[in-house]
Amino acid sequence: SVQASEMDVGNSSSNSSAAIPSDTFFAARVLWITISPFILIIGLVGNALSLCVFVREPFGKSSSTFTLLGVLAISDTFVLVTGLLRDWLSVLLRESFAAFNASLWLCSPVELVSMSSMYSSAWMLVAVSFDRFLAIRLPLQSRGMRTPARAKMLALCITLLAFTASVFMTFMKPNRRVCFSQSLSEVATWVDVCAYCLLPSVLLFGLNGAML
């Protein structure tokens, strides 16, 4: 009887633990479906308004910071459209997006744009912080460096490097059969994390701390 009771307890605990993930998944899915559109709309409207301000005269031609922020608004918009919107639709329309992700010639361009825009956004933030660091710490010495033309060249270099890294990280996946899969090797995964998150975060903390 003791063994039977222990088996009943074990079965009930396993059943309850199995029910928790399904309930959690359902709640997370509902929250994702309902909240994501608001985040998407706020982000798109905010980026559009910011871009209208950053490209206006005389700011667009007199400030390197406004030039970089304008490019940042564009890359953030691509992140929202190819990242958040795609993820939202993939949860809302799971079967359709499963077929879309399995069609490499259709989803590969979207994956490249998504990864490129994420890399660009992260490093464009670093560029903006570095620009402000020069303006605060070396205002006279950096005046000739901080021009809109050089800011555009810097933004172009960041975009090209981000696209090159995205091509490398996308097509180096072994046995790649679907898009947006996490099938990178351990070394490539760490390179991706460092390039997209860790290194930009360290530089942002350092540059912003140096401006205090």
Side-chain angles (χ1 to χ4, degrees):
S1 60
V2 175
Q3 291 179 350
S5 61
E6 289 178 352
M7 291 178 61
D8 293 337
V9 171
N11 292 332
S12 61
S13 61
S14 62
N15 292 333
S16 61
S17 62
I20 292 175
S22 62
D23 294 340
T24 304
F25 175 78
F26 177 76
R29 188 171 185 270
V30 171
L31 287 175
W32 181 258
I33 293 175
T34 55
I35 294 177
S36 295
F38 294 100
I39 300 175
L40 179 66
I41 294 173
I42 293 173
L44 291 177
V45 173
N47 286 331
L49 294 176
S50 299
L51 191 59
C52 291
V53 173
F54 296 147
V55 300
R56 284 183 57 190
E57 299 285 354
F59 300 111
K61 292 187 177 181
S62 63
S63 173
S64 58
T65 303
F66 275 75
T67 301
L68 293 173
L69 287 174
V71 178
L72 177 62
I74 295 174
S75 61
D76 282 345
T77 301
F78 278 108
V79 171
L80 289 172
V81 173
T82 62
L84 179 60
L85 178 60
R86 177 190 54 80
D87 288 341
W88 179 67
L89 290 176
S90 67
V91 174
L92 195 64
L93 307 170
R94 285 182 289 183
E95 295 182 359
S96 299
F97 260 78
F100 172 77
N101 288 335
S103 179
L104 295 180
W105 68 276
L106 279 177
C107 63
S108 291
V110 179
E111 185 175 12
L112 284 176
V113 173
S114 178
M115 293 186 66
S116 300
S117 57
M118 288 191 294
Y119 283 132
S120 297
S121 294
W123 286 98
M124 212 65 69
L125 281 173
V126 176
V128 171
S129 298
F130 183 67
D131 180 83
R132 301 317 305 157
F133 168 79
L134 292 178
I136 293 174
R137 290 300 182 183
L138 302 170
L140 298 178
Q141 298 90 328
S142 64
R143 183 174 297 177
M145 299 171 53
R146 298 175 52 251
T147 62
R150 295 198 176 191
K152 292 177 183 178
M153 288 298 300
L154 177 60
L156 179 61
C157 291
I158 291 175
T159 303
L160 291 177
L161 288 174
F163 180 77
T164 303
S166 300
V167 171
F168 179 73
M169 299 300 290
T170 298
F171 294 102
M172 73 173 295
K173 297 175 182 178
N175 300 323
R176 181 173 178 266
R177 296 181 179 178
V178 295
C179 292
F180 301 100
S181 62
Q182 303 296 325
S183 59
L184 291 171
S185 63
E186 184 176 357
V187 175
T189 301
W190 276 107
V191 171
D192 181 49
V193 171
C194 291
Y196 169 64
C197 182
L198 293 182
L199 187 56
S201 298
V202 170
L203 292 174
L204 286 173
F205 277 115
L207 290 170
N208 286 282
M211 286 186 282
L212 298 179

